[in-house]
Amino acid sequence: MALELAGLRKDYGLRALSREDLADDPLLQLKAWLTQAHAAGVREANAMTLATVGANGRPSSRIVLIKGIDSGLVWYTSYHSRKAVELAIHPFACLQFHWIDEERQVRIEGQVEKTSAAESDAYFASRPRPSQIGAWASPQSQVIASRRVLEQAEIALNLRYPNEVPRPPDWGGFRLIPDVFEFWQGRASRLHDRLVYRRAEGGWKIERLAP
Ligand SMILES: Cc1cc2nc3c(=O)[nH]c(=O)nc-3n(C[C@H](O)[C@H](O)[C@H](O)COP(=O)(O)O)c2cc1C
């Protein structure tokens, strides 16, 4: 049976969102929503879409896992991946969470910087060994001849590093320092709640947007 895309729709009505519900600090608000999504059983609640812009002005996006929230939002990747090459040229990005069963999305914009080598080392050391080997084995975003290239690299790297696996020099973290957050809660009749934080003098300005 053909999928009738035009007829697929769902009305939302779990919750409402108003200014009084929001923390003054959007990083705390994000932590609260992430915690709620995880507690509600959303799978990979820490998965977020990362959008970057290439030198030619074309946007690209992919999913990464958030690994920390402090002054910004932290994720880890290969520094020679497409995303990293794009961030080196244009260090601004947009992140987005969508927790479908919570009827919520969050959009975050800001400037991106690399995490320190010490931070990347500490996170890399906490990863399971197969992920550590995988980071070495994959020339992320490069064209490879076949899957065999990866499998042979994995075997060779397990021999090269029988004990501790050091962090590859071209693998590490990025931190997005946010200046805009939008918290979105689905409502009935497509009249959703959208509240935006914008960094302002000494704090954050919060406004409501039309859905
Ligand atoms: C659920 C999920 C989590 C992912 N987490 C990461 C991650 O934390 N870091 C990463 O480099 N890639 C992650 N990926 C793979 C990326 O989406 C992407 O394919 C890869 O980073 C290459 O992207 P690029 O060529 O645009 O740089 C994840 C993919 C999925 C579906």
Side-chain angles (χ1 to χ4, degrees):
M1 198 176 68
L3 179 60
E4 287 291 339
L5 290 175
L8 287 182
R9 60 177 62 86
K10 189 179 173 303
D11 213 24
Y12 304 121
L14 265 186
R15 301 186 190 91
L17 181 68
S18 59
R19 170 65 188 91
E20 301 74 60
D21 302 319
L22 294 176
D24 290 340
D25 179 347
L27 287 157
L28 290 182
Q29 186 61 40
L30 175 65
K31 275 188 190 173
W33 274 26
L34 255 170
T35 305
Q36 284 170 22
H38 179 71
V42 174
R43 285 180 61 199
E44 299 206 86
N46 56 332
M48 55 186 184
T49 300
L50 161 67
T52 54
V53 178
N56 54 4
R58 285 174 76 129
S60 66
S61 69
R62 75 291 289 155
I63 307 268
V64 292
L65 297 178
I66 187 168
K67 291 293 170 179
I69 301 179
D70 42 35
S71 57
L73 287 79
V74 176
W75 67 92
Y76 290 89
T77 193
S78 159
Y79 286 149
H80 57 222
S81 63
R82 176 176 178 181
K83 68 182 91 51
V85 169
E86 293 190 352
L87 285 169
I89 294 165
H90 181 76
F92 291 87
C94 183
L95 293 166
Q96 189 172 26
F97 292 93
H98 177 209
W99 302 299
I100 193 161
D101 293 334
E102 298 288 282
E103 302 177 352
R104 284 174 169 171
Q105 67 173 332
V106 183
R107 179 166 64 189
I108 305 133
E109 298 168 37
Q111 189 153 7
V112 178
E113 59 191 30
K114 281 184 179 173
T115 56
S116 68
E119 272 182 280
S120 296
D121 284 343
Y123 174 68
F124 189 80
S126 78
R127 301 183 94 203
R129 180 182 169 87
S131 308
Q132 293 177 328
I133 294 288
W136 276 101
S138 168
Q140 194 176 57
S141 312
Q142 313 308 306
V143 174
I144 51 173
S146 72
R147 186 168 178 86
R148 243 175 96 73
V149 173
L150 300 176
E151 290 164 355
Q152 286 177 338
E154 189 182 28
I155 292 166
L157 287 156
N158 270 309
L159 294 172
R160 193 199 300 172
Y161 300 117
N163 302 310
E164 203 174 305
V165 184
R167 175 174 64 90
D170 56 358
W171 188 99
F174 283 104
R175 176 177 284 107
L176 178 139
I177 307 296
D179 48 34
V180 181
F181 279 79
E182 178 189 329
F183 289 85
W184 184 102
Q185 180 76 58
R187 299 293 304 274
S189 312
R190 297 294 182 260
L191 296 180
H192 314 300
D193 288 326
R194 300 177 67 189
L195 287 148
V196 175
Y197 293 71
R198 288 194 184 84
R199 212 181 264 281
E201 199 75 16
W204 294 87
K205 185 175 180 202
I206 303 179
E207 291 168 310
R208 178 176 284 270
L209 296 184

mmCIF file of all heavy atoms in Angstrom, residues 44 47-48 52 60-67 75-78 80-84 86 123 127 140-142 171, ligand 1:
data_model
loop_
_atom_site.group_PDB
_atom_site.id
_atom_site.type_symbol
_atom_site.label_atom_id
_atom_site.label_comp_id
_atom_site.label_asym_id
_atom_site.label_seq_id
_atom_site.Cartn_x
_atom_site.Cartn_y
_atom_site.Cartn_z
ATOM 1 N N GLU A 44 18.042 7.914 22.759
ATOM 2 C CA GLU A 44 19.082 8.869 22.348
ATOM 3 C C GLU A 44 18.568 10.307 22.414
ATOM 4 O O GLU A 44 18.629 11.061 21.445
ATOM 5 C CB GLU A 44 19.609 8.520 20.958
ATOM 6 C CG GLU A 44 20.249 7.120 20.968
ATOM 7 C CD GLU A 44 21.303 6.942 19.911
ATOM 8 O OE1 GLU A 44 22.468 7.303 20.191
ATOM 9 O OE2 GLU A 44 20.982 6.454 18.825
ATOM 10 N N ALA A 47 20.778 13.032 21.130
ATOM 11 C CA ALA A 47 21.110 13.188 19.705
ATOM 12 C C ALA A 47 20.575 14.527 19.205
ATOM 13 O O ALA A 47 19.425 14.881 19.466
ATOM 14 C CB ALA A 47 20.503 12.044 18.901
ATOM 15 N N MET A 48 21.421 15.263 18.507
ATOM 16 C CA MET A 48 21.012 16.587 18.005
ATOM 17 C C MET A 48 21.499 16.757 16.570
ATOM 18 O O MET A 48 22.530 16.203 16.186
ATOM 19 C CB MET A 48 21.552 17.709 18.900
ATOM 20 C CG MET A 48 23.058 17.674 19.102
ATOM 21 S SD MET A 48 23.614 18.911 20.302
ATOM 22 C CE MET A 48 25.403 18.663 20.201
ATOM 23 N N THR A 52 25.863 23.163 9.565
ATOM 24 C CA THR A 52 27.015 24.034 9.309
ATOM 25 C C THR A 52 26.866 24.602 7.893
ATOM 26 O O THR A 52 25.981 24.185 7.145
ATOM 27 C CB THR A 52 28.333 23.242 9.415
ATOM 28 O OG1 THR A 52 28.254 22.097 8.551
ATOM 29 C CG2 THR A 52 28.593 22.765 10.834
ATOM 30 N N SER A 60 24.841 22.144 5.389
ATOM 31 C CA SER A 60 24.791 20.690 5.493
ATOM 32 C C SER A 60 24.445 20.372 6.941
ATOM 33 O O SER A 60 24.702 21.169 7.845
ATOM 34 C CB SER A 60 26.118 20.054 5.091
ATOM 35 O OG SER A 60 27.131 20.399 6.010
ATOM 36 N N SER A 61 23.854 19.205 7.157
ATOM 37 C CA SER A 61 23.510 18.840 8.528
ATOM 38 C C SER A 61 23.725 17.353 8.745
ATOM 39 O O SER A 61 23.791 16.581 7.787
ATOM 40 C CB SER A 61 22.056 19.227 8.842
ATOM 41 O OG SER A 61 21.170 18.415 8.120
ATOM 42 N N ARG A 62 23.856 16.981 10.009
ATOM 43 C CA ARG A 62 24.031 15.601 10.428
ATOM 44 C C ARG A 62 23.743 15.546 11.915
ATOM 45 O O ARG A 62 23.727 16.567 12.594
ATOM 46 C CB ARG A 62 25.445 15.063 10.132
ATOM 47 C CG ARG A 62 26.542 15.521 11.021
ATOM 48 C CD ARG A 62 26.883 16.979 10.858
ATOM 49 N NE ARG A 62 27.564 17.280 9.589
ATOM 50 C CZ ARG A 62 27.546 18.456 9.017
ATOM 51 N NH1 ARG A 62 26.897 19.497 9.585
ATOM 52 N NH2 ARG A 62 28.170 18.684 7.881
ATOM 53 N N ILE A 63 23.547 14.291 12.411
ATOM 54 C CA ILE A 63 23.287 14.103 13.845
ATOM 55 C C ILE A 63 24.610 13.890 14.580
ATOM 56 O O ILE A 63 25.472 13.147 14.100
ATOM 57 C CB ILE A 63 22.402 12.865 14.084
ATOM 58 C CG1 ILE A 63 21.131 12.914 13.240
ATOM 59 C CG2 ILE A 63 22.111 12.659 15.565
ATOM 60 C CD1 ILE A 63 19.951 13.528 13.857
ATOM 61 N N VAL A 64 24.760 14.523 15.741
ATOM 62 C CA VAL A 64 25.866 14.205 16.652
ATOM 63 C C VAL A 64 25.280 14.073 18.064
ATOM 64 O O VAL A 64 24.154 14.494 18.312
ATOM 65 C CB VAL A 64 26.992 15.277 16.640
ATOM 66 C CG1 VAL A 64 27.730 15.299 15.304
ATOM 67 C CG2 VAL A 64 26.459 16.652 16.977
ATOM 68 N N LEU A 65 26.060 13.495 18.964
ATOM 69 C CA LEU A 65 25.593 13.322 20.346
ATOM 70 C C LEU A 65 26.179 14.417 21.229
ATOM 71 O O LEU A 65 27.398 14.639 21.209
ATOM 72 C CB LEU A 65 26.024 11.953 20.885
ATOM 73 C CG LEU A 65 25.456 10.735 20.160
ATOM 74 C CD1 LEU A 65 26.018 9.454 20.780
ATOM 75 C CD2 LEU A 65 23.931 10.721 20.190
ATOM 76 N N ILE A 66 25.303 15.076 22.001
ATOM 77 C CA ILE A 66 25.821 16.084 22.932
ATOM 78 C C ILE A 66 26.495 15.349 24.089
ATOM 79 O O ILE A 66 25.966 14.382 24.621
ATOM 80 C CB ILE A 66 24.703 17.037 23.423
ATOM 81 C CG1 ILE A 66 25.312 18.167 24.249
ATOM 82 C CG2 ILE A 66 23.610 16.312 24.191
ATOM 83 C CD1 ILE A 66 24.338 19.306 24.526
ATOM 84 N N LYS A 67 27.702 15.817 24.456
ATOM 85 C CA LYS A 67 28.473 15.134 25.496
ATOM 86 C C LYS A 67 28.694 15.997 26.720
ATOM 87 O O LYS A 67 29.294 15.543 27.706
ATOM 88 C CB LYS A 67 29.827 14.676 24.928
ATOM 89 C CG LYS A 67 29.677 13.548 23.920
ATOM 90 C CD LYS A 67 29.178 12.287 24.601
ATOM 91 C CE LYS A 67 28.788 11.222 23.606
ATOM 92 N NZ LYS A 67 28.330 9.997 24.273
ATOM 93 N N TRP A 75 30.278 18.508 21.626
ATOM 94 C CA TRP A 75 30.203 17.200 20.955
ATOM 95 C C TRP A 75 31.598 16.868 20.430
ATOM 96 O O TRP A 75 32.483 17.729 20.411
ATOM 97 C CB TRP A 75 29.180 17.228 19.799
ATOM 98 C CG TRP A 75 29.577 18.105 18.655
ATOM 99 C CD1 TRP A 75 30.272 17.744 17.542
ATOM 100 C CD2 TRP A 75 29.312 19.506 18.523
ATOM 101 N NE1 TRP A 75 30.460 18.839 16.722
ATOM 102 C CE2 TRP A 75 29.878 19.934 17.305
ATOM 103 C CE3 TRP A 75 28.655 20.449 19.324
ATOM 104 C CZ2 TRP A 75 29.807 21.257 16.853
ATOM 105 C CZ3 TRP A 75 28.587 21.770 18.883
ATOM 106 C CH2 TRP A 75 29.168 22.152 17.663
ATOM 107 N N TYR A 76 31.770 15.611 20.036
ATOM 108 C CA TYR A 76 33.096 15.150 19.586
ATOM 109 C C TYR A 76 33.008 14.560 18.189
ATOM 110 O O TYR A 76 31.990 13.967 17.815
ATOM 111 C CB TYR A 76 33.666 14.120 20.573
ATOM 112 C CG TYR A 76 34.045 14.790 21.874
ATOM 113 C CD1 TYR A 76 33.101 14.919 22.895
ATOM 114 C CD2 TYR A 76 35.296 15.350 22.045
ATOM 115 C CE1 TYR A 76 33.425 15.580 24.075
ATOM 116 C CE2 TYR A 76 35.630 16.012 23.218
ATOM 117 C CZ TYR A 76 34.687 16.122 24.229
ATOM 118 O OH TYR A 76 35.019 16.785 25.378
ATOM 119 N N THR A 77 34.081 14.722 17.440
ATOM 120 C CA THR A 77 34.084 14.275 16.053
ATOM 121 C C THR A 77 35.510 14.266 15.506
ATOM 122 O O THR A 77 36.474 14.532 16.225
ATOM 123 C CB THR A 77 33.158 15.185 15.208
ATOM 124 O OG1 THR A 77 32.934 14.575 13.938
ATOM 125 C CG2 THR A 77 33.752 16.576 15.021
ATOM 126 N N SER A 78 35.611 13.993 14.204
ATOM 127 C CA SER A 78 36.907 14.043 13.542
ATOM 128 C C SER A 78 37.151 15.473 13.039
ATOM 129 O O SER A 78 36.256 16.074 12.435
ATOM 130 C CB SER A 78 36.905 13.080 12.359
ATOM 131 O OG SER A 78 37.919 13.464 11.464
ATOM 132 N N HIS A 80 38.918 16.258 10.606
ATOM 133 C CA HIS A 80 39.012 16.366 9.143
ATOM 134 C C HIS A 80 37.691 15.988 8.471
ATOM 135 O O HIS A 80 37.630 15.816 7.262
ATOM 136 C CB HIS A 80 40.197 15.555 8.578
ATOM 137 C CG HIS A 80 40.167 14.101 8.919
ATOM 138 N ND1 HIS A 80 41.278 13.409 9.298
ATOM 139 C CD2 HIS A 80 39.154 13.223 8.966
ATOM 140 C CE1 HIS A 80 40.932 12.154 9.568
ATOM 141 N NE2 HIS A 80 39.645 12.024 9.362
ATOM 142 N N SER A 81 36.617 15.872 9.276
ATOM 143 C CA SER A 81 35.295 15.569 8.704
ATOM 144 C C SER A 81 34.773 16.800 7.959
ATOM 145 O O SER A 81 35.287 17.918 8.113
ATOM 146 C CB SER A 81 34.321 15.195 9.816
ATOM 147 O OG SER A 81 34.136 16.285 10.699
ATOM 148 N N ARG A 82 33.734 16.571 7.181
ATOM 149 C CA ARG A 82 33.137 17.705 6.453
ATOM 150 C C ARG A 82 32.696 18.811 7.418
ATOM 151 O O ARG A 82 32.950 19.995 7.181
ATOM 152 C CB ARG A 82 31.928 17.217 5.638
ATOM 153 C CG ARG A 82 31.221 18.366 4.944
ATOM 154 C CD ARG A 82 30.095 17.904 4.049
ATOM 155 N NE ARG A 82 29.431 19.065 3.444
ATOM 156 C CZ ARG A 82 28.399 18.986 2.634
ATOM 157 N NH1 ARG A 82 27.896 17.818 2.309
ATOM 158 N NH2 ARG A 82 27.850 20.085 2.144
ATOM 159 N N LYS A 83 32.043 18.416 8.522
ATOM 160 C CA LYS A 83 31.552 19.415 9.475
ATOM 161 C C LYS A 83 32.694 20.255 10.036
ATOM 162 O O LYS A 83 32.585 21.467 10.203
ATOM 163 C CB LYS A 83 30.733 18.746 10.591
ATOM 164 C CG LYS A 83 31.563 17.860 11.516
ATOM 165 C CD LYS A 83 30.742 17.167 12.575
ATOM 166 C CE LYS A 83 30.229 15.817 12.187
ATOM 167 N NZ LYS A 83 31.228 14.864 11.643
ATOM 168 N N ALA A 84 33.837 19.578 10.337
ATOM 169 C CA ALA A 84 34.979 20.281 10.936
ATOM 170 C C ALA A 84 35.627 21.217 9.927
ATOM 171 O O ALA A 84 36.034 22.338 10.274
ATOM 172 C CB ALA A 84 35.985 19.266 11.463
ATOM 173 N N GLU A 86 34.078 22.644 7.473
ATOM 174 C CA GLU A 86 33.170 23.786 7.315
ATOM 175 C C GLU A 86 33.258 24.739 8.507
ATOM 176 O O GLU A 86 33.247 25.959 8.335
ATOM 177 C CB GLU A 86 31.736 23.272 7.108
ATOM 178 C CG GLU A 86 31.619 22.535 5.769
ATOM 179 C CD GLU A 86 30.214 22.178 5.344
ATOM 180 O OE1 GLU A 86 29.267 22.346 6.135
ATOM 181 O OE2 GLU A 86 30.064 21.728 4.196
ATOM 182 N N TYR A 123 37.765 13.055 27.460
ATOM 183 C CA TYR A 123 36.573 12.390 26.926
ATOM 184 C C TYR A 123 36.977 11.141 26.136
ATOM 185 O O TYR A 123 36.367 10.078 26.286
ATOM 186 C CB TYR A 123 35.714 13.335 26.068
ATOM 187 C CG TYR A 123 34.602 12.550 25.444
ATOM 188 C CD1 TYR A 123 33.593 12.014 26.232
ATOM 189 C CD2 TYR A 123 34.603 12.247 24.086
ATOM 190 C CE1 TYR A 123 32.614 11.204 25.687
ATOM 191 C CE2 TYR A 123 33.632 11.431 23.533
ATOM 192 C CZ TYR A 123 32.637 10.920 24.340
ATOM 193 O OH TYR A 123 31.687 10.105 23.805
ATOM 194 N N ARG A 127 35.896 6.706 26.473
ATOM 195 C CA ARG A 127 35.131 5.935 25.484
ATOM 196 C C ARG A 127 35.483 4.448 25.548
ATOM 197 O O ARG A 127 36.615 4.100 25.878
ATOM 198 C CB ARG A 127 35.456 6.427 24.063
ATOM 199 C CG ARG A 127 35.159 7.882 23.825
ATOM 200 C CD ARG A 127 35.448 8.224 22.378
ATOM 201 N NE ARG A 127 34.263 8.114 21.558
ATOM 202 C CZ ARG A 127 34.261 7.922 20.249
ATOM 203 N NH1 ARG A 127 35.378 7.753 19.591
ATOM 204 N NH2 ARG A 127 33.130 7.863 19.578
ATOM 205 N N GLN A 140 37.081 9.978 8.564
ATOM 206 C CA GLN A 140 35.682 10.413 8.454
ATOM 207 C C GLN A 140 35.461 11.411 7.318
ATOM 208 O O GLN A 140 36.208 12.370 7.167
ATOM 209 C CB GLN A 140 35.209 11.036 9.777
ATOM 210 C CG GLN A 140 33.692 11.188 9.842
ATOM 211 C CD GLN A 140 33.210 11.704 11.190
ATOM 212 O OE1 GLN A 140 33.617 12.763 11.636
ATOM 213 N NE2 GLN A 140 32.340 10.947 11.835
ATOM 214 N N SER A 141 34.444 11.134 6.544
ATOM 215 C CA SER A 141 33.961 11.951 5.419
ATOM 216 C C SER A 141 34.813 11.834 4.148
ATOM 217 O O SER A 141 34.498 12.477 3.152
ATOM 218 C CB SER A 141 33.823 13.443 5.804
ATOM 219 O OG SER A 141 33.138 13.601 7.017
ATOM 220 N N GLN A 142 35.877 11.019 4.190
ATOM 221 C CA GLN A 142 36.689 10.818 2.972
ATOM 222 C C GLN A 142 36.101 9.649 2.174
ATOM 223 O O GLN A 142 35.474 8.748 2.744
ATOM 224 C CB GLN A 142 38.150 10.487 3.317
ATOM 225 C CG GLN A 142 38.791 11.385 4.360
ATOM 226 C CD GLN A 142 38.660 12.864 4.035
ATOM 227 O OE1 GLN A 142 39.035 13.290 2.954
ATOM 228 N NE2 GLN A 142 38.115 13.651 4.957
ATOM 229 N N TRP A 171 41.209 14.237 16.087
ATOM 230 C CA TRP A 171 39.895 13.892 16.634
ATOM 231 C C TRP A 171 39.726 14.664 17.941
ATOM 232 O O TRP A 171 40.652 14.718 18.754
ATOM 233 C CB TRP A 171 39.826 12.384 16.893
ATOM 234 C CG TRP A 171 38.468 11.859 17.271
ATOM 235 C CD1 TRP A 171 37.570 11.249 16.456
ATOM 236 C CD2 TRP A 171 37.854 11.903 18.569
ATOM 237 N NE1 TRP A 171 36.438 10.919 17.162
ATOM 238 C CE2 TRP A 171 36.589 11.311 18.460
ATOM 239 C CE3 TRP A 171 38.242 12.403 19.821
ATOM 240 C CZ2 TRP A 171 35.708 11.200 19.532
ATOM 241 C CZ3 TRP A 171 37.366 12.290 20.884
ATOM 242 C CH2 TRP A 171 36.127 11.685 20.733
HETATM 243 C C1 LIG B 1 22.309 8.905 16.464
HETATM 244 C C2 LIG B 1 23.588 9.332 15.794
HETATM 245 C C3 LIG B 1 24.629 9.824 16.569
HETATM 246 C C4 LIG B 1 25.821 10.253 15.963
HETATM 247 N N1 LIG B 1 26.796 10.810 16.741
HETATM 248 C C5 LIG B 1 27.919 11.285 16.159
HETATM 249 C C6 LIG B 1 28.896 11.986 16.943
HETATM 250 O O1 LIG B 1 28.727 12.210 18.164
HETATM 251 N N2 LIG B 1 30.015 12.414 16.314
HETATM 252 C C7 LIG B 1 30.215 12.220 14.969
HETATM 253 O O2 LIG B 1 31.268 12.626 14.464
HETATM 254 N N3 LIG B 1 29.304 11.607 14.199
HETATM 255 C C8 LIG B 1 28.157 11.133 14.764
HETATM 256 N N4 LIG B 1 27.208 10.521 13.976
HETATM 257 C C9 LIG B 1 27.468 10.392 12.518
HETATM 258 C C10 LIG B 1 27.163 11.741 11.836
HETATM 259 O O3 LIG B 1 25.754 11.920 11.723
HETATM 260 C C11 LIG B 1 27.818 11.895 10.461
HETATM 261 O O4 LIG B 1 27.441 10.842 9.585
HETATM 262 C C12 LIG B 1 29.352 11.943 10.542
HETATM 263 O O5 LIG B 1 29.795 12.685 11.664
HETATM 264 C C13 LIG B 1 29.964 12.544 9.263
HETATM 265 O O6 LIG B 1 29.419 13.828 9.064
HETATM 266 P P1 LIG B 1 30.084 14.931 8.085
HETATM 267 O O7 LIG B 1 30.633 14.180 6.884
HETATM 268 O O8 LIG B 1 28.949 15.844 7.728
HETATM 269 O O9 LIG B 1 31.168 15.625 8.851
HETATM 270 C C14 LIG B 1 25.988 10.124 14.550
HETATM 271 C C15 LIG B 1 24.934 9.626 13.779
HETATM 272 C C16 LIG B 1 23.751 9.242 14.390
HETATM 273 C C17 LIG B 1 22.605 8.760 13.519
#
